[in-house]
Amino acid sequence: MKSIFSPTQSRAKRQRTGQGVSASQSHVPDWGSLPHHIVLHIFQYLSLVDRARASSVCRCWNDVFHIPELWRRFEFELNQPATSYLRSTHPDLIQQIIKRHAQHLQYVSFKVDSCTESAEAACNILSQLVNCTIKTLGLISTARPSFMNVSQSHFVSALTVVFVNSKSLSSIKIDDTPVDDPSLKVLVANNSDTLKLLKMSSCPHVSPAGILCVADQCHGLRELALNYHLLSDELLLALSSEKHVHLEHLRIDVVSENPGQTQFHSIKKSSWDALIRHSPQVNIVMYFFLYEEEFEPFFCDETPVTHLYFGRAVSKDMLGRIGLNCPRLVELVVCANGLEPLDEELIRIAERCKSLTAIGLGECEVTCSGFMEFVKMCGGRLSQLSIMEEVLIPDNSYSMEQIHSEVSKHLGRIWFPDMMPTW
């Protein structure tokens, strides 16, 4: 900090007191004279509140506070104090950002709680970003329903402002929102050459035709996340066209909206084959939240899925199909199964799925002998093996103590069963 005395006053005081200045005192840093790039680096590690407080230290730091580079990344936190633990971005600061830094924002996210008022506030801010050049946009709900309770016309209107004014959007995450087909067409019309990532699971107002429009026109798309009802043969073929770059990640959420009543369509093997020929390294991730009777359309033919997560109980028959028809499988997580041991199914998966490196089993049953056979077949390529201790059923061949040492030997590292799920 600067001395409160002027240089003349300081000398006079030393003369009166007869005191000199120690070496340490003579080198007290003048924080206000630090180079801008040093202060900028410090500010980038501070929270927004601390950054705003630091900006009041001196004129130099206040100048740095308004350097455009500091405002390229920003997360608006919007919540109702009575219902959220989030610290909401102050309204005065929001207006200052919109007035002075809207044109600097490039990587923007909105984190809101479950209250409709918070989502509406986010829409109001989006509507004011008419001079923005946003590259990435994320709308994040910490709890449902949030954006889904906002008037669809209000939400779409606000989102369209960003789609129209930002001509270089490359990444958009709009899960659990009322985005619709017309707004996606606006996105395509203005950002088809730049869009690389689109995540829009649980968007009920989007149709297969709407997402197909994106795939047809956005040839640089590398990552896509959507609900299964939007997946179609036409979509896979569009992503496999010669004009399209190689897709890197395709995430599909298979969710039952009406338990026991939802009808799921099938995807042709030829469509999957076309995608793999065009993008041989693509990761296809599927999350299942279905009831056992709803699995019938899946994995009847070869499916190039690489990562499978079952959030509800899955039958032995379904796991058997996975062993037969998922040769590219890399990771498998099963939350629950019935009370019949899964020895045969696991051994079949080990035999057929040569790329499997990670597996997790929750409320399932496997005999110790069957489990050891599975581990021996997979060997050291299992980088993650998360098995609840209750899953393993001791038999005449192995005790629980023997399982620990034998599995560790085949994995090439110390291994123990989990006491609780780690996924």
Side-chain angles (χ1 to χ4, degrees):
M1 295 294 289
K2 287 185 176 180
S3 172
I4 61 174
F5 300 103
S6 69
T8 303
Q9 291 173 319
S10 297
R11 282 196 298 271
K13 183 177 181 181
R14 289 196 299 272
Q15 290 171 356
R16 289 195 304 270
T17 60
Q19 294 177 343
V21 180
S22 68
S24 61
Q25 287 175 319
S26 65
H27 291 88
V28 173
D30 181 357
W31 296 105
S33 64
L34 284 176
H36 276 198
H37 72 279
I38 298 294
V39 181
L40 178 64
H41 189 71
I42 294 171
F43 273 28
Q44 288 172 335
Y45 285 92
L46 298 179
S47 67
L48 178 61
V49 173
D50 290 337
R51 190 188 301 171
R53 288 172 178 163
S55 70
S56 64
V57 167
C58 61
R59 181 176 295 177
C60 170
W61 285 29
N62 187 261
D63 291 342
V64 173
F65 183 68
H66 294 292
I67 290 178
E69 185 177 347
L70 198 61
W71 298 98
R72 289 177 182 171
R73 296 181 181 274
F74 192 82
E75 180 176 82
F76 293 91
E77 293 190 353
L78 305 163
N79 69 85
Q80 306 305 305
T83 60
S84 176
Y85 64 88
L86 296 176
R87 178 181 292 177
S88 189
T89 307
H90 196 280
D92 292 343
L93 181 57
I94 291 174
Q95 289 308 309
Q96 185 181 37
I97 293 168
I98 293 172
K99 182 179 179 179
R100 300 190 58 171
H101 301 293
Q103 70 273 27
H104 305 141
L105 296 173
Q106 293 184 5
Y107 310 94
V108 182
S109 62
F110 291 81
K111 183 181 288 184
V112 303
D113 59 10
S114 60
C115 291
T116 305
E117 293 83 358
S118 302
E120 288 177 342
C123 292
N124 290 335
I125 297 171
L126 285 170
S127 299
Q128 298 177 67
L129 300 181
V130 294
N131 297 317
C132 60
T133 55
I134 294 177
K135 294 183 178 179
T136 70
L137 174 65
L139 304 183
I140 304 163
S141 298
T142 58
R144 293 184 179 184
S146 198
F147 286 105
M148 289 306 300
N149 271 3
V150 174
S151 160
Q152 185 183 357
S153 60
H154 184 198
F155 177 84
V156 169
S157 175
L159 197 61
T160 301
V161 169
V162 178
F163 287 172
V164 169
N165 288 280
S166 294
K167 305 294 184 180
S168 56
L169 276 165
S170 63
S171 173
I172 305 174
K173 301 177 183 179
I174 46 176
D175 294 336
D176 296 301
T177 65
V179 62
D180 58 9
D181 290 358
S183 55
L184 289 182
K185 290 182 179 179
V186 174
L187 168 67
V188 170
N190 291 276
N191 299 274
S192 61
D193 294 333
T194 59
L195 189 63
K196 296 181 180 179
L197 179 150
L198 177 60
K199 294 186 176 181
M200 44 175 300
S201 297
S202 301
C203 295
H205 300 295
V206 175
S207 73
I211 195 66
L212 181 59
C213 172
V214 176
D216 272 335
Q217 301 297 321
C218 299
H219 298 141
L221 198 64
R222 295 181 181 276
E223 297 186 39
L224 179 63
L226 70 167
N227 278 80
Y228 184 81
H229 77 271
L230 297 177
L231 188 69
S232 65
D233 295 294
E234 292 79 11
L235 176 63
L236 292 178
L237 294 175
L239 295 170
S240 307
S241 68
E242 292 182 3
K243 295 180 179 179
H244 207 286
V245 301
H246 298 304
L247 195 68
E248 296 174 358
H249 300 279
L250 175 61
R251 168 173 168 158
I252 305 161
D253 292 341
V254 192
V255 181
S256 175
E257 300 294 343
N258 300 300
Q261 301 177 17
T262 305
Q263 297 296 317
F264 293 95
H265 59 283
S266 298
I267 300 295
K268 295 177 182 177
K269 181 179 180 300
S270 58
S271 302
W272 287 119
D273 290 344
L275 180 65
I276 298 304
R277 282 196 301 271
H278 182 265
S279 304
Q281 302 301 317
V282 62
N283 287 312
I284 301 176
V285 184
M286 298 185 75
Y287 284 81
F288 282 89
F289 294 91
L290 303 182
Y291 294 90
E292 287 192 16
E293 62 271 17
E294 297 173 321
F295 279 103
E296 186 57 36
F298 300 98
F299 307 117
C300 296
D301 295 311
E302 187 171 301
T303 307
V305 64
T306 55
H307 298 72
L308 270 175
Y309 304 91
F310 293 96
R312 293 183 185 144
V314 59
S315 67
K316 283 171 61 71
D317 176 64
M318 175 55 60
L319 292 174
R321 285 193 230 169
I322 290 169
L324 289 173
N325 295 317
C326 300
R328 299 179 74 241
L329 191 64
V330 172
E331 182 174 8
L332 173 66
V333 173
V334 180
C335 176
N337 176 256
L339 298 178
E340 298 179 74
L342 299 176
D343 297 21
E344 294 181 7
E345 290 72 24
L346 284 182
I347 292 171
R348 182 180 297 169
I349 288 172
E351 288 175 340
R352 304 291 185 91
C353 305
K354 301 297 184 181
S355 299
L356 186 72
T357 60
I359 187 167
L361 298 179
E363 297 179 13
C364 307
E365 287 192 353
V366 181
T367 68
C368 286
S369 296
F371 179 62
M372 278 308 310
E373 185 67 22
F374 169 80
V375 172
K376 289 177 183 177
M377 296 176 70
C378 291
R381 62 185 168 94
L382 282 176
S383 59
Q384 183 172 347
L385 181 61
S386 298
I387 308 294
M388 294 287 290
E389 187 171 16
E390 293 79 4
V391 168
L392 299 173
I393 305 173
D395 53 27
N396 294 331
S397 300
Y398 295 95
S399 66
M400 290 302 299
E401 289 73 19
Q402 291 173 313
I403 282 289
H404 297 167
S405 59
E406 287 297 311
V407 172
S408 298
K409 179 175 68 176
H410 288 284
L411 294 183
R413 63 182 187 276
I414 296 176
W415 178 88
F416 288 97
D418 295 323
M419 300 307 294
M420 62 180 61
T422 58
W423 52 85

